[in-house]
Amino acid sequence: MVETPQRPPHILVIDDRPEELRSLLDLLRAQGMQLSLAEDPRTGLQRAMALYPDLILLDVHMPQMNGFALCRLLREAPALAQTPIIFLTSAASIDDRLEGLSLGSVDYVIKPCAAEEVLARIRIHLQLIWREKATPTGIPDALQNPDQMILHAAMRLIGRKLDQVPPLAEIAKQAGTHEKKLSTIFRQHLGMTVFAWIREERLRKSQELLADSNMDIQGIAELVGFNSAANFTTAFRQRLGMTPSKYRSHARSGDEVVTEDQSDS
């Protein structure tokens, strides 16, 4: 039998229409669970980082920032990285469900729903996390810096979509901020613009694929977001001082690959 904590489980509910969840909230309270409520995403993020809940119930369609963007930020907070997140939402399309689960949520429940079903799902995920989770012992403030969370969320999002990187405004929105703020964060923390980092990440990923896969040059070019093998080869040579084919040959022969930047140092 899994031992449960002596204290009641703490559930954070982030939903801009909590009145629609009244029967569920009443049921959770009747089960002795501690509830915290937030009616907008930014308040929800602040409360999550301050309270370290055992589980988060999260809506998708909310003002200012949607639930997917908030989930990205929550997953970049070290103290909350393993906290179960259950989407509880009317966003019922298969694309919405796949997006929510791909972001690291443990469950996706469609409204309207039976309160008893949600309670059962909460209990299952609490039992699973109690097998592994120790009570947080304090996370250094530097690791909880909101700008760092936005930066890492944006970098992870870009890394997943290198073949078709969204416009800057969309990247910012999905990372829970706006264009100007995101650009400032990249310059302050990485010393480059968002677009410069995307270019660097595309070339870094292409080096991995050249060394570790059998994909042809055209396939690699498309996968990392170049519209042609010729454009990819030009950018690769400008940055690394050799063609992709030559880089692959060196990497597979076991020779140390020395780029122009390294040879000049």
Side-chain angles (χ1 to χ4, degrees):
M1 178 180 292
V2 178
E3 294 186 8
T4 58
Q6 295 300 312
R7 62 178 176 79
H10 183 185
I11 312 299
L12 173 60
V13 180
I14 306 174
D15 194 305
D16 63 327
R17 295 183 178 179
E19 65 276 5
E20 296 180 354
L21 303 175
R22 186 167 299 161
S23 61
L24 171 61
L25 300 180
D26 289 345
L27 178 59
L28 295 179
R29 289 190 182 100
Q31 297 296 313
M33 296 187 183
Q34 178 185 353
L35 297 183
S36 294
L37 302 179
E39 295 187 24
D40 68 83
R42 298 196 185 282
T43 300
L45 179 60
Q46 292 169 358
R47 292 184 179 171
M49 295 178 65
L51 300 173
Y52 303 122
D54 296 296
L55 184 142
I56 297 171
L57 293 178
L58 179 58
D59 192 13
V60 170
H61 296 313
M62 294 184 286
Q64 301 176 1
M65 181 195 312
N66 69 27
F68 295 147
L70 178 54
C71 187
R72 287 188 182 91
L73 294 178
L74 291 168
R75 283 293 172 248
E76 297 302 336
L80 300 169
Q82 301 303 316
T83 302
I85 296 173
I86 297 178
F87 279 105
L88 186 57
T89 177
S90 59
S93 74
I94 184 62
D95 288 342
D96 286 332
R97 284 179 280 170
L98 290 173
E99 178 75 2
L101 293 170
S102 72
L103 292 173
S105 69
V106 297
D107 216 333
Y108 198 101
V109 183
I110 305 299
K111 296 177 182 176
C113 51
E116 293 77 10
E117 178 188 354
V118 179
L119 173 62
R121 291 172 184 256
I122 288 172
R123 283 176 168 165
I124 288 170
H125 293 298
L126 287 175
Q127 290 291 335
L128 290 172
I129 202 65
W130 282 334
R131 295 173 190 262
E132 306 169 357
K133 180 181 177 182
T135 303
T137 56
I139 304 297
D141 290 342
L143 296 181
Q144 296 185 48
N145 183 291
D147 285 358
Q148 288 278 2
M149 292 165 58
I150 291 170
L151 174 66
H152 293 155
M155 291 168 67
R156 196 181 302 275
L157 170 66
I158 292 166
R160 289 174 53 205
K161 300 184 177 184
L162 278 177
D163 58 334
Q164 290 185 315
V165 175
L168 180 58
E170 185 62 22
I171 295 171
K173 179 181 177 181
Q174 293 191 40
T177 188
H178 52 81
E179 288 183 62
K180 185 175 180 180
K181 176 68 172 177
L182 186 65
S183 297
T184 298
I185 289 172
F186 267 74
R187 287 192 179 94
Q188 288 180 344
H189 292 271
L190 300 178
M192 63 181 73
T193 65
V194 178
F195 295 110
W197 187 85
I198 291 171
R199 182 181 177 86
E200 291 297 310
E201 182 64 8
R202 281 174 165 159
L203 293 173
R204 184 200 65 77
K205 182 64 177 178
S206 71
Q207 292 175 65
E208 287 185 1
L209 294 169
L210 287 166
D212 301 331
S213 80
N214 292 319
M215 293 180 65
D216 60 24
I217 303 300
Q218 179 66 42
I220 291 175
E222 293 174 357
L223 191 62
V224 299
F226 287 89
N227 56 19
S228 72
N231 288 344
F232 167 57
T233 298
T234 297
F236 195 95
R237 184 190 292 114
Q238 288 175 345
R239 179 65 180 83
L240 292 148
M242 64 182 72
T243 64
S245 298
K246 185 175 181 181
Y247 181 92
R248 170 174 272 171
S249 178
H250 277 282
R252 293 191 171 183
S253 68
D255 296 337
E256 181 181 359
V257 179
V258 180
T259 66
E260 284 188 348
D261 288 347
Q262 293 172 318
S263 62
D264 291 341
S265 61

